[in-house]
Amino acid sequence: MGCARDPLAPSIVVFGSYFPAWLLCAGLGIVTTVVARLILVHAGIDEHLPAPLLVYLSLALTTSIVYWYLAFGGAPH
């Protein structure tokens, strides 16, 4: 049952094999966070963040969830 193709577990076909959609959203969230950090460092805001690790972790999680909602239209199951 764990390997069954379930409509509640969206997958994306990449080079002929199924790729878990949550992993793609997480990767996009991390890339977005890295770009946001570069912008904040360039603007001089990064050094004034009270807890940078927590801020960037929250940003990565939030953007990953936003990508999930935009791509699949609902909460992860």
Side-chain angles (χ1 to χ4, degrees):
M1 287 304 290
C3 295
R5 185 89 210 267
D6 188 6
L8 298 178
S11 298
I12 300 167
V13 178
V14 177
F15 298 117
S17 63
Y18 292 104
F19 191 71
W22 66 266
L23 198 55
L24 178 65
C25 293
L28 289 172
I30 291 170
V31 169
T32 303
T33 302
V34 169
V35 170
R37 183 181 185 278
L38 292 173
I39 292 170
L40 291 176
V41 166
H42 182 69
I45 298 172
D46 180 67
E47 58 200 29
H48 300 293
L49 293 176
L53 180 62
L54 185 61
V55 170
Y56 292 126
L57 181 63
S58 300
L59 183 60
L61 180 64
T62 302
T63 54
S64 297
I65 292 171
V66 167
Y67 285 130
W68 181 276
Y69 275 105
L70 292 175
F72 301 105
H77 300 280

